[in-house]
Amino acid sequence: MKFAKSSFLLLSLTLAFAGLRAQFLNPLFIPDTLTGPVFNLTLAPSYVNFLAGDSTVTHGINQPYLGPTLIFQRGDTVQMHVTNNLTDTTTMHWHGMHVAPEDDGGPHTFIPPNTTWSPSFVIDDEATTHWYHPHLHGHTAEQVYKGAAGMIIVRDAHEASLNLPRTYGVDDFPIIIQDKSFDATNQLIFAAMADTIAINGTLGAFLSVPAQMVRFRLLNGSNQRVYNVGFPTNLPVFQIASDGGLLEAPVPVNTVLLAPGERAQVVVNFGGQNGNNYPFPSLNSTMPPGISGGPGGPGGLPGNPLDSADFILMEFRVNPQTPNPVTSLPTSLNTYVKPSLSNVDRTRIKIMDADPNGFPYYINSTPFNHMVINDTVIKDNIEVWTLINTTDVAHPFHIHDIQFYITELNGSPPPAPMAGRKDVVLVQPGDTISFIGEFTDFVDSVIPYMYHCHNLFHEDAGMMGQFIVVEASWVGREKEIARANGYKLYPNPARDRVRLEVNADHGGTIHQLEVLDIQGKALMRQQYQSAREASLDVSGLTPGMYLLRVQDESGQTATLRMLKR
Ligand code: C2O
Ligand code: CU
Ligand code: CU
């Protein structure tokens, strides 16, 4: 019953590909933009009328499904306020961005229900497309699937000097590709491989585009499904950017293989096409073997009409040209000083393998453990990581903190679209891929960065590791200081007592101090009267990872991570 309904929907989509275009009747939803320097994001339960009949319960960020598009200007200092009005703990990660570990929103930086997390950081990324999503270990897939995610557009002076389409919602569009499954009452079925396409949360979408060069910022926001995005073969199409920035030059493309977490920017020239419609397909029948959604890859329920098939994501309807359209692309987009292979300080090998039972998948046979720092990187080091996939399914490998450059793909240099700045790379069965990256900033001996498979089911099941970046002189040092939003906590790791101090340049005071376990549950709570320092007896805690949440008189909170020996 349940399945019959959603497969009927998909049957309609499939028929549409065969010629019944009339199914793409819903205008594509374009999320509003938010500009800084202060960004207020509120995650809350909501509902959406995806289908006729019952509404679907969702998670939204400032809106019923997905979140606003955040516009960041390189060099700006932004103040984020992320309020969690869900009933579950969450975190908020700025995927692709080069920020300090405490601001990165990884699985250690909890936002318990009815609290606000307020990191502040400098935007230090190339002009590109990033995204934000929860990263609570074990729950990332579920929270993203319900709709807690949004796009980030970073702008900078160099990109602004290029003649490129960049008017949001006019000739520059966010395209967030996801798959959903619905039950008989239109509620989301949390399926690894869902059976209905939603673009920006719109089912059966069409997008009106002007008859000129149009820029699409593609983001695969699906949990597991990979798309082989296809463009009209009779029109000029160029990829201009990969995950972390513009490519050096536009690359003519017909298809873009987009794994979960990956972004690509593509410019399609609809010049002279006014009045024409174009299907925007995903050509998954021709994907290489072993990729989720393609031949020989992990599929969904039997009969899932998206598996190993070509299907339509949405439809383009070409409208008249706007005034002053972009009519040609620059021949050169950007140049980067890439870290050099002759300056490599260290190499690491990450083998994608599996539990002896075949699942879960792991990295170097090691399931993710909150308590274990898998890798210690020395600040300013240049490293080469080699990813070897020994399993029979493809894994999109993602690393926080850095953008990397692929140096080798199975013994060859990468094809042009993969040669640019990246933070996700799809490692296919049997692949050996090496990348080079430089770890230039943000030492923190306590809060780690993550690397993981961006198949969110694999990630949640343990296909993740964590690394810290430290000063060379720190390696092996026991006593470090954790800092967050004007407070410092030491010693850390702690044995019997920890001490919290308000930094001299910070106006706040300590009003309440809580010790939380890594699930966000409060174990200790103490109140203070306008204190500037506090100390806590932690001798009774079992060794492990804890969070210390400090609240000032105005109710502002900061969370520090504490390791108990
Ligand atoms: Cu998209 Cu670890 O993140
Ligand atoms: Cu990330
Ligand atoms: Cu994986």
Side-chain angles (χ1 to χ4, degrees):
M1 262 291 277
K2 288 181 169 182
F3 187 62
K5 179 162 189 179
S6 34
S7 37
F8 170 73
L9 256 167
L10 252 292
L11 187 62
S12 321
L13 288 175
T14 315
L15 286 175
F17 200 16
L20 302 177
R21 308 188 335 251
Q23 299 302 321
F24 294 87
L25 297 173
N26 300 315
L28 180 72
F29 174 70
I30 306 294
D32 282 346
T33 57
L34 270 190
T35 52
V38 178
F39 292 82
N40 293 301
L41 298 173
T42 302
L43 282 86
S46 191
Y47 60 88
V48 173
N49 294 318
F50 283 116
L51 299 165
D54 296 338
S55 354
T56 305
V57 175
T58 56
H59 286 172
I61 304 172
N62 299 10
Q63 62 190 34
Y65 184 81
L66 298 176
T69 298
L70 311 184
I71 309 287
F72 287 154
Q73 189 67 41
R74 187 172 190 178
D76 279 3
T77 300
V78 296
Q79 174 66 63
M80 314 304 293
H81 295 295
V82 185
T83 299
N84 177 12
N85 286 346
L86 302 173
T87 51
D88 295 323
T89 297
T90 191
T91 83
M92 191 53 75
H93 169 53
W94 322 107
H95 176 130
M97 295 190 62
H98 180 53
V99 299
E102 65 178 318
D103 300 325
D104 189 48
H108 299 277
T109 310
F110 301 101
I111 316 175
N114 305 312
T115 65
T116 299
W117 177 55
S118 299
S120 176
F121 45 85
V122 176
I123 307 302
D124 189 20
D125 298 277
E126 297 286 332
T128 196
T129 307
H130 293 315
W131 65 305
Y132 57 103
H133 64 78
H135 214 306
L136 182 70
H137 184 55
H139 300 271
T140 299
E142 181 200 338
Q143 294 187 349
V144 172
Y145 185 73
K146 287 182 176 165
M151 187 174 273
I152 293 170
I153 295 177
V154 181
R155 301 196 184 284
D156 69 11
H158 170 74
E159 193 269 353
S161 74
L162 298 173
N163 186 33
L164 290 171
R166 70 170 62 78
T167 309
Y168 185 82
V170 174
D171 62 3
D172 181 349
F173 294 98
I175 305 283
I176 304 175
I177 309 174
Q178 297 178 305
D179 56 350
K180 304 274 151 229
S181 285
F182 299 92
D183 70 12
T185 62
N186 293 346
Q187 300 315 303
L188 289 170
I189 300 171
F190 183 42
M193 298 286 283
D195 58 14
T196 304
I197 292 298
I199 309 288
N200 301 348
T202 309
L203 270 50
F206 74 86
L207 174 65
S208 298
V209 293
Q212 63 203 52
M213 288 196 149
V214 177
R215 179 180 191 167
F216 298 103
R217 295 173 185 266
L218 309 176
L219 158 64
N220 183 345
S222 302
N223 283 341
Q224 170 157 334
R225 188 176 296 282
V226 178
Y227 303 92
N228 190 27
V229 178
F231 295 92
T233 47
N234 60 324
L235 301 182
V237 181
F238 298 91
Q239 184 171 344
I240 60 163
S242 53
D243 298 327
L246 293 167
L247 297 174
E248 294 195 329
V251 178
V253 290
N254 292 122
T255 57
V256 172
L257 190 66
L258 205 64
E262 272 190 305
R263 291 87 67 212
Q265 292 179 48
V266 170
V267 171
V268 179
N269 191 352
F270 290 102
Q273 300 298 316
N274 184 22
N276 290 343
N277 294 336
Y278 284 95
F280 182 36
S282 187
L283 305 170
N284 283 21
S285 69
T286 51
M287 290 200 305
I291 299 177
S292 295
L301 299 167
N304 188 322
L306 302 185
D307 289 344
S308 303
D310 297 346
F311 52 87
I312 300 195
L313 298 163
M314 57 184 252
E315 187 183 82
F316 297 124
R317 299 187 185 173
V318 188
N319 283 4
Q321 208 173 270
T322 65
N324 309 314
V326 173
T327 52
S328 69
L329 292 178
T331 49
S332 154
L333 296 169
N334 209 346
T335 48
Y336 301 102
V337 185
K338 302 181 184 179
S340 156
L341 278 172
S342 50
N343 291 329
V344 175
D345 298 290
R346 169 145 195 185
T347 57
R348 296 175 201 263
I349 294 179
K350 298 295 167 198
I351 298 181
M352 303 168 145
D353 52 22
D355 184 83
N357 297 316
F359 193 87
Y361 297 108
Y362 295 139
I363 296 171
N364 289 346
S365 306
T366 311
F368 174 67
N369 180 342
H370 261 280
M371 297 299 300
V372 175
I373 301 294
N374 304 88
D375 297 86
T376 298
V377 174
I378 293 175
K379 180 176 171 295
D380 291 325
N381 271 10
I382 293 173
E383 297 203 353
V384 169
W385 289 32
T386 297
L387 314 170
I388 302 173
N389 186 352
T390 63
T391 74
D392 54 7
V393 306
H395 302 281
F397 182 92
H398 169 52
I399 186 168
H400 292 205
D401 179 27
I402 62 162
Q403 291 290 324
F404 56 73
Y405 297 94
I406 297 170
T407 56
E408 212 179 299
L409 199 167
N410 299 324
S412 302
M418 288 176 78
R421 293 163 66 82
K422 291 198 56 66
D423 56 64
V424 180
V425 59
L426 184 65
V427 188
Q428 296 179 31
D431 273 359
T432 299
I433 297 179
S434 295
F435 67 71
I436 191 165
E438 187 169 5
F439 298 81
T440 47
D441 304 282
F442 305 134
V443 291
D444 189 324
S445 65
V446 176
I447 304 180
Y449 288 113
M450 318 309 293
Y451 57 85
H452 55 90
C453 179
H454 220 290
N455 175 322
L456 298 182
F457 291 92
H458 296 180
E459 175 193 333
D460 279 341
M463 196 174 191
M464 178 155 72
Q466 46 191 1
F467 68 98
I468 52 174
V469 179
V470 300
E471 300 284 0
S473 60
W474 286 19
V475 175
R477 267 174 69 182
E478 282 287 287
K479 272 182 156 186
E480 288 306 341
I481 298 172
R483 297 175 192 277
N485 300 347
Y487 300 94
K488 65 180 182 202
L489 176 74
Y490 61 93
N492 197 8
R495 280 180 205 285
D496 304 320
R497 287 198 91 75
V498 279
R499 200 174 166 76
L500 184 80
E501 278 179 25
V502 186
N503 287 350
D505 60 353
H506 189 261
T509 54
I510 303 168
H511 179 59
Q512 176 176 283
L513 208 52
E514 283 175 307
V515 177
L516 314 173
D517 67 14
I518 59 166
Q519 308 303 332
K521 189 170 126 234
L523 305 175
M524 298 167 67
R525 181 174 291 131
Q526 221 162 293
Q527 313 266 334
Y528 302 85
Q529 282 293 331
S530 306
R532 296 282 295 179
E533 53 181 67
S535 97
L536 262 190
D537 180 356
V538 294
S539 57
L541 298 175
T542 41
M545 189 84 68
Y546 296 89
L547 297 167
L548 227 102
R549 190 159 76 223
V550 48
Q551 199 176 79
D552 68 15
E553 310 288 333
S554 71
Q556 281 276 354
T557 62
T559 306
L560 299 101
R561 209 178 67 130
M562 179 185 84
L563 204 57
K564 165 77 169 88
R565 286 263 185 250

